[in-house]
Amino acid sequence: MAVTRFKFLSTFSRQFCTNSNAHVVQQTRLRIEEIRAKRLSIFDKELKRQQALIPRLEKIEVTYEGLDNETTTLVMNKGVSTPYNCAQHISEHVVKNSVAAEINGEIWDFHRPIPSDCTLKLLSMKPEDQHQASLVNKTFWRSCSFLLGAVVEGSFQDEISVSLHSFPPANVRSGSFVYDVQLSLDDWVPSQSDLRQISASFQKFVRQNHSFQRLDIDSSVALKMFEDNAFKAEQIPHIATKSSSGQTVTVYRVGDHIDISRGPMIASTSLVGRCLLTAVHKLDSRIYRFQGIALPSEIYINHFALGIIEARARKLNPARIPELKSN
């Protein structure tokens, strides 16, 4: 897949675009492309390696539980078939409206392979069960944080360095989803034009209908993948110790962007409707908290109601401020 670029130039960064440093700008742009291309190469190589470890296809039985407790037994391929593949056997409507899955009671990525016989439920953005609704909301919010990081990382294309730090656990009650980012700017205050331009890039990205592709990798592979980001490299050993194996890290790919998250994530960016960057707050040590809001693609509200939500999302999100050991 070709590398997608976000061509946002803030009013703050534009003042540095002079003939005297044009060669520096070009080098920075190539650097961004090289970093993303390297991560994609490692991701694809590791995915192929893991797929080659499957010696032969084994069949499993997936019991799909639909509306009114109707069940359908599907014979699928162990470690290869995903909830998406199961949905393809049911209906186009189910494929289009499924946000995530539930495997034996555990929320599951729509494009994550199924490892064994199981009971499957496919979740939409409007599940009747309140517990499922809470899980779906958190999955949607978490995915939006991930996408915000993708957009911000590609938004500053001049000499300004951008290092994604992390995003806090999804908390719908906070009023905004968040990504904390280090910029090589001491006191940047984005204008309304800046916010609108990043929002436009955000909207354009989600409309490209990218799937969320999950991959569990060894921590050594993760360290190689994120060796250009001091924060991620610092976080990876700790993240790995919390995995079931004690040495793996989960990454997701969306388009040309790869990042770390335990997930799960929504099926694709097409499930995100109206999305906005509402505020950027300076935290500390050049760390900026980017905050946004989004609506599921099937949910519409009037401008007045959206304005109330947007106003709330401008306030500093109270999520824990990240620890900074690397600068």
Side-chain angles (χ1 to χ4, degrees), residues 142-214:
R142 181 186 305 113
S143 303
C144 289
S145 282
F146 185 101
L147 295 173
L148 180 59
V151 173
V152 171
E153 186 181 56
S155 289
F156 299 85
Q157 292 193 2
D158 293 334
E159 74 294 344
I160 299 171
S161 66
V162 182
S163 295
L164 300 185
H165 186 285
S166 59
F167 55 93
N171 181 3
V172 181
R173 294 181 182 275
S174 70
S176 62
F177 52 81
V178 170
Y179 209 118
D180 294 328
V181 182
Q182 186 180 67
L183 305 175
S184 58
L185 299 172
D186 291 321
D187 293 295
W188 178 52
V189 179
S191 67
Q192 287 301 309
S193 176
D194 293 339
L195 298 179
R196 285 194 297 268
Q197 289 185 67
I198 298 179
S199 295
S201 294
F202 198 170
Q203 194 75 65
K204 179 180 179 181
F205 187 52
V206 302
R207 286 177 179 171
Q208 293 172 356
N209 191 20
H210 295 296
S211 296
F212 279 82
Q213 186 177 11
R214 175 188 174 117

Side-chain angles (χ1 to χ4, degrees), residues 15-64:
Q15 65 181 304
F16 296 103
C17 295
T18 64
N19 292 332
S20 62
N21 66 6
H23 67 287
V24 177
V25 172
Q26 182 63 21
Q27 289 176 356
T28 304
R29 290 181 180 179
L30 291 175
R31 181 65 170 167
I32 292 171
E33 291 182 349
E34 289 170 355
I35 289 173
R36 288 195 165 188
K38 184 201 72 175
R39 290 176 184 170
L40 289 174
S41 176
I42 295 173
F43 185 99
D44 289 339
K45 182 178 179 180
E46 177 62 18
L47 177 61
K48 290 178 181 178
R49 187 194 70 81
Q50 292 187 22
Q51 290 174 336
L53 294 176
I54 303 175
R56 61 185 178 85
L57 292 180
E58 297 180 28
K59 297 299 180 181
I60 57 174
E61 288 190 356
V62 177
T63 302
Y64 168 68

Side-chain angles (χ1 to χ4, degrees), residues 247-261:
Q247 59 186 21
T248 60
V249 174
T250 301
V251 298
Y252 285 85
R253 172 181 177 175
V254 179
D256 70 333
H257 179 71
I258 297 174
D259 202 353
I260 300 169
S261 176

Side-chain angles (χ1 to χ4, degrees), residues 8 17 23 57 65 115 119 163 167 186 188 212 218 297 310 317 321 323:
F8 165 69
C17 295
H23 67 287
L57 292 180
E65 295 185 356
T119 299
S163 295
F167 55 93
D186 291 321
W188 178 52
F212 279 82
D218 188 84
S297 56
E310 188 176 352
N317 189 296
I321 296 175
E323 297 179 4

